């Protein structure tokens, strides 16, 4: 496999040539990534040329609708799912909220669902509230030291009454990559559907959602180099069975059935820019013409390879420090480059101030994984220091981060 051409990659992101960001190294990518150039250009173009109600018969409107359709189809290709299985909503939190309402109508009192305490609250709280309707909520708990979810523990929670299993592809704090295909197989064997929060995973390369076997797969495009939208894949047969959450007279249409907040047309259209970027990455690094799903796999592996290369020195350095607790695995092979730390001798906020003074953009918070932070024995009000990066991060920025941490602890 070729190695990533970092200069090419960074040239695709206007933020890297933005004077006001020049002296800053960005380590809050898990909060939201920089947007790639094609997304910004498409958003701009949409507002200039096609900012009209889409899907009418006049030319500007036709084009507006075509650009939205293009985004859906091209992202579906990269995720290896059917176009009609892709839904856009305002955010992942909103998408899970609506989904949970749909399941509330479909489930019976006494039915069971499984949630975790590893998830961001977006894929947890909305489901837990189904208890108000008599649904039995079972919690799959992490190991309090490592933050891992053990699939063997899930076996004990599954029963003939389990209808839904909700879990993350990767935690936004512990960063361990869960064995999604194995967990989906377990959920299916129990007769349940698997709802996977991919928000912390997708920025590191889109997954082949079909191969994972998830019935529902959600992530946030503003963390995958795109605009502020949530994307959710819902398998067609499940989407057909779920009660309509949109306008009653559109109940027989999949589009809009699970996304009652009308879409942000310009941002939906602009998200095709993510596919433009992935196409450009593919064309720059690989020969030959292959279908989108294969381009997606290659781009995924290219990003992952680069990220692991950068993660190794950071984890090696962290392993030598007794004054920092690394949350989640210390083996780069097992985790995403989302690195949450608990300083043992100083409040995390003070360390963060030191990083900010040294040109590092990072954050201290519970990052809405309140339950996980608590389960790891850390006060969510104090929070954890999180430094997160993606494929466009430069090795010099990792060096700068390590030096800044060293001076701030
Ligand atoms: C793992 C994870 N899931 C869900 C969400 C919620 O996404 P959104 O902001 O699109 O609602 C986030 C946001 O940070 C997240 O990190």
């Amino acid at each position: 496999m070729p190695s990533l051409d970092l200069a090419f990659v960074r040239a695709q992101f206007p933020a890297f040539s933005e004077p006001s960001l020049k002296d800053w190294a960005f380590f809050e990518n898990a909060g939201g990534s920089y947007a790639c150039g094609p997304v910004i250009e498409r958003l701009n173009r949409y507002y200039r040329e096609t900012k009209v109600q889409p899907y009418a018969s006049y030319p500007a409107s036709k084009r507006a609708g075509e650009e939205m359709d293009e985004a859906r189809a091209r992202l579906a290709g990269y995720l290896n799912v059917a176009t009609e299985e892709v839904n856009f909503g305002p955010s992942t939190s909103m998408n899970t909220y609506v989904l949970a309402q749909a399941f509330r109508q479909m489930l019976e009192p006494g039915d069971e669902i499984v949630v975790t305490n590893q998830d961001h609250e977006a894929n947890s709280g909305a489901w837990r509230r189904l208890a108000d309707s008599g649904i039995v909520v079972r919690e799959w708990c992490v190991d309090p030291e490592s933050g891992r979810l053990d699939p063997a523990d899930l076996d004990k929670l599954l029963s003939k009454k389990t209808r839904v299993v909700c879990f993350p592809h990767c935690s936004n704090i512990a960063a361990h990559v869960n064995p999604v295909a194995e967990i989906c197989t377990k959920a299916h064997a129990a007769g349940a559907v698997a709802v996977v929060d991919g928000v912390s995973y997708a920025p590191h390369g889109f997954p082949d959602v079909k191969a994972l076997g998830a019935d529902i797969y959600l992530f946030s495009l503003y963390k995958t180099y795109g605009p502020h939208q949530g994307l959710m894949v819902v398998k067609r047969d499940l989407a057909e069975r779920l009660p309509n959450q949109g306008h009653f007279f559109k109940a027989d249409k999949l589009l809009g059935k699970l996304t009652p907040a009308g879409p942000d047309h310009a941002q939906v259209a602009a998200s095709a820019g993510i596919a433009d970027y992935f196409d450009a990455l593919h064309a720059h690094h690989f020969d030959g013409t292959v279908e989108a799903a294969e381009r997606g796999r290659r781009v995924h592996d290219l990003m992952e390879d680069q990220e692991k290369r950068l993660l190794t020195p950071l984890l090696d350095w962290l392993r030598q420090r007794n004054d920092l607790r690394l949350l989640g695995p210390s083996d780069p092979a097992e985790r995403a480059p989302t690195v949450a730390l608990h300083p043992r001798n100083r409040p995390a906020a003070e360390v963060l101030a030191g990083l900010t003074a040294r040109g590092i953009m990072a954050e201290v918070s519970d990052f809405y994984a309140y339950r996980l932070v608590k389960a790891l024995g850390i006060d969510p009000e104090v929070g954890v220091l999180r430094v997160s990066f993606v494929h466009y991060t430069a090795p010099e920025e990792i060096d700068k981060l390590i030096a800044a941490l060293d001076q701030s602890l």
Side-chain angles (χ1 to χ4, degrees):
M1 195 182 40
S3 39
L4 190 85
D5 179 347
L6 194 60
F8 175 82
V9 163
R10 286 168 80 97
Q12 314 304 311
F13 288 85
F16 290 118
S17 48
E18 164 58 35
S20 61
L21 292 170
K22 191 174 142 279
D23 297 324
W24 291 92
F26 186 37
F27 282 97
E28 229 301 70
N29 290 280
S33 69
Y34 286 156
C36 61
V39 164
I40 300 170
E41 282 154 28
R42 281 180 180 263
L43 191 63
N44 256 307
R45 196 179 72 214
Y46 192 97
Y47 269 97
R48 272 189 280 104
E49 298 176 16
T50 55
K51 182 67 183 69
V52 295
Q53 185 65 9
Y55 301 113
S57 53
Y58 52 94
S61 172
K62 266 190 174 167
R63 255 190 71 202
E66 281 161 12
E67 291 197 14
M68 291 172 69
D69 293 348
E70 179 194 346
R72 205 166 168 230
R74 288 182 63 202
L75 293 176
Y78 266 103
L79 295 161
N80 198 21
V81 298
T83 301
E84 68 268 20
E85 294 178 319
V86 169
N87 304 269
F88 294 101
S91 65
T92 295
S93 303
M94 192 68 207
N95 283 340
T96 50
Y97 180 86
V98 175
L99 279 174
Q101 299 314 308
F103 275 95
R104 190 191 290 278
Q105 285 174 257
M106 199 166 78
L107 301 184
E108 307 275 342
D111 282 348
E112 298 177 7
I113 65 167
V114 175
V115 295
T116 80
N117 65 350
Q118 194 190 55
D119 273 279
H120 180 286
E121 195 61 14
N123 196 35
S124 190
W127 300 107
R128 286 173 195 257
R129 285 197 198 114
L130 296 185
D132 308 343
S133 301
I135 309 302
V136 179
V137 178
R138 305 224 176 270
E139 190 180 46
W140 181 11
C141 292
V142 295
D143 173 271
E145 197 45 47
S146 67
R148 270 174 197 262
L149 285 171
D150 183 348
D153 292 341
L154 174 63
D155 296 336
K156 296 171 216 148
L157 300 172
L158 295 171
S159 80
K160 276 193 280 202
K161 291 185 174 171
T162 313
R163 300 286 174 259
V164 188
V165 177
C166 307
F167 65 98
H169 193 158
C170 170
S171 144
N172 64 333
I173 299 280
H176 180 237
V177 178
N178 287 310
V180 174
E182 178 191 343
I183 299 167
C184 289
T185 303
K186 283 179 190 282
H188 294 158
V193 301
V195 180
V196 183
D197 176 348
V199 174
S200 276
Y201 185 88
H204 311 294
F206 278 12
D208 179 331
V209 174
K210 195 170 172 187
L212 289 177
D215 301 281
I216 298 178
Y217 191 92
L218 308 113
F219 64 97
S220 303
L221 295 166
Y222 69 93
K223 301 186 200 247
T224 66
Y225 322 113
H228 205 111
Q229 285 287 286
L231 186 153
M232 115 178 119
V233 174
V234 185
K235 270 193 185 160
R236 192 187 170 105
D237 61 329
L238 175 60
E240 280 166 354
R241 277 188 288 131
L242 283 167
N244 176 33
Q245 303 300 302
H247 297 315
F248 77 91
F249 45 83
K250 290 173 69 180
D252 60 339
K253 296 203 169 52
L254 285 187
L255 185 61
K257 184 176 176 183
L258 297 170
T259 50
D264 181 323
H265 302 146
Q267 297 203 61
V268 168
S271 65
I274 300 171
D276 294 341
Y277 171 54
F278 288 175
D279 282 353
L281 268 185
H282 183 267
H284 186 77
H285 292 88
F286 301 94
D287 293 328
T289 310
V290 291
E291 57 163 18
E294 179 55 20
R295 292 200 297 283
R297 279 176 222 119
R298 290 178 180 179
V299 167
H300 170 283
D301 292 353
L302 188 68
M303 289 178 169
E304 189 181 66
D305 178 61
Q306 172 73 4
E307 290 178 353
K308 301 286 183 225
R309 230 187 281 255
L310 296 194
L311 192 50
T312 302
L314 178 59
L315 294 180
D316 286 348
W317 182 81
L318 288 169
R319 232 178 270 119
Q320 297 160 15
R321 301 295 302 208
N322 296 325
D323 49 358
L324 275 175
R325 175 180 169 201
L326 167 69
L327 304 176
S330 59
D331 179 354
E334 293 183 2
R335 67 176 300 144
T338 299
V339 179
L341 303 166
H342 175 60
R344 295 187 200 272
N345 304 333
R346 290 189 74 180
E350 277 182 32
V351 181
L352 177 68
L355 294 186
T356 309
R358 292 171 177 85
I360 303 290
M361 294 190 261
E363 180 58 310
V364 168
S365 172
D366 58 49
F367 299 101
Y368 291 10
Y370 189 98
R371 297 172 202 272
L372 174 60
V373 171
K374 205 161 166 213
L376 291 168
I378 299 166
D379 179 355
E381 302 304 325
V382 172
V384 298
L385 171 65
R386 189 175 73 176
V387 289
S388 54
F389 63 91
V390 293
H391 67 289
Y392 56 49
T393 304
E396 300 75 35
E397 290 175 320
I398 301 288
D399 296 343
K400 180 172 169 158
L401 171 67
I402 291 176
L405 276 170
D406 197 32
Q407 290 155 9
S408 307
L409 279 164

